[in-house]
Amino acid sequence: MTPKKFAVVVMISGRGSNLGAILRYCKEVESSFEVVGVVSDKATAPGLLLAKEHAIKCSIVSRRKQEITAEQFEEELIRAVADYKPDLIALAGFMRILPPRFIRTFPDRILNIHPSLLPSFRGLNAQKQALEARVKFAGCTVHYVIDELDAGPIIAQAVVPVFNSDDEEKLSNRILLCEHNLYPKVIQNLAQNNLALDSHKHHFLEGDKLVSSTHPSPMCLTSV
Ligand code: GRF
């Protein structure tokens, strides 16, 4: 009998290029995980089309112009994700701050990818923040999601140079390529090790290998 693959739910709000990279990875590599569902808070998210092309089930939970309360939205979101019985939830451009109850419902099972070398440049427009700070290197970070925005323990990072000639678009595109390379590998590593993610033992990539640590905030650089 083929072993059950690690079940991943991807949450999106827009373009879904990271979702696309994750789905491509599953097709091209003998992956230990499968995307069992995509949850979007926007009915018009282009990423949903991508999911449909790959025959992945999708759920849309939107605030419908405030027709439902924040509590109802929270409940619907939890139900939509829980229905897929995920081992892991991967935020990929999900543009809402997750309510604490959502995070408590799926403890240490939520990952996010952020387009900066955290802890620098949290929040929106990270690439613009990097350019304004005139840093020489930028990149992306995959981290666990905790209540504080973009502040959870770091699992893996990828670095790119910043050139004097860069504008926001050029830098964003360079970082995005790194995101597409890094995110599926992190998920694959977590899935291969069939890790029960728990907050006392965090996992991070060293080169291509997943390592466990009891250190509260492990950090490692992966150049691509
Ligand atoms: C990415 O830059 C990701 O780092 C950030 O949101 C963007 C999503 O892009 N969290 P896409 O929808 O995956 O193309």
Side-chain angles (χ1 to χ4, degrees):
M1 208 171 73
T2 1
K4 186 186 164 289
K5 290 195 174 190
F6 210 62
V8 177
V9 165
V10 181
M11 295 179 72
I12 62 166
S13 298
R15 176 177 63 180
S17 71
N18 277 287
L19 168 66
I22 292 168
L23 292 172
R24 271 198 307 280
Y25 185 93
C26 287
K27 258 197 160 167
E28 289 163 11
V29 177
E30 189 77 6
S31 73
S32 310
F33 69 93
E34 62 182 332
V35 177
V36 290
V38 169
V39 174
S40 172
D41 65 330
K42 294 261 180 328
T44 52
L48 289 169
L49 298 176
L50 210 61
K52 283 183 186 139
E53 276 168 27
H54 284 79
I56 307 290
K57 286 189 193 153
C58 298
S59 309
I60 297 152
V61 184
S62 79
R63 279 295 301 274
R64 299 190 283 270
K65 301 199 177 79
Q66 319 300 321
E67 276 167 23
I68 55 171
T69 63
E71 288 73 30
Q72 285 168 328
F73 175 72
E74 187 175 292
E75 262 168 40
E76 282 191 22
L77 199 60
I78 291 173
R79 200 172 328 119
V81 172
D83 277 351
Y84 291 110
K85 299 189 174 41
D87 295 306
L88 193 76
I89 299 159
L91 306 187
F94 187 72
M95 297 306 284
R96 274 175 192 276
I97 295 178
L98 286 174
R101 196 153 74 83
F102 184 100
I103 298 171
R104 275 200 309 276
T105 307
F106 305 102
D108 305 303
R109 265 189 289 160
I110 313 173
L111 306 182
N112 182 41
I113 186 151
H114 182 76
S116 81
L117 295 174
L118 290 172
S120 295
F121 316 130
R122 294 177 184 175
L124 291 175
N125 305 319
Q127 303 91 334
K128 185 162 175 251
Q129 293 183 52
L131 285 172
E132 283 170 0
R134 297 183 172 277
V135 291
K136 296 294 173 203
F137 291 95
C140 62
T141 303
V142 179
H143 64 94
Y144 292 100
V145 172
I146 59 168
D147 283 350
E148 202 184 335
L149 184 68
D150 300 328
I154 291 167
I155 301 172
Q157 295 184 306
V159 183
V160 298
V162 181
F163 301 116
N164 288 338
S165 55
D166 276 348
D167 55 19
E168 211 181 322
E169 193 186 346
K170 282 186 193 157
L171 181 59
S172 301
N173 287 339
R174 194 174 308 124
I175 294 174
L176 197 62
L177 285 179
C178 276
E179 296 184 31
H180 296 167
N181 187 19
L182 188 66
Y183 212 5
K185 283 187 188 163
V186 171
I187 298 172
Q188 170 71 358
N189 263 283
L190 292 170
Q192 262 173 348
N193 291 277
N194 199 12
L195 295 170
L197 309 179
D198 81 78
S199 49
H200 304 295
K201 207 167 192 194
H202 290 300
H203 315 284
F204 60 100
L205 277 179
E206 211 166 65
D208 262 358
K209 199 167 155 258
L210 198 74
V211 177
S212 298
S213 162
T214 44
H215 190 280
S217 185
M219 185 160 161
C220 126
L221 292 185
T222 308
S223 311
V224 289

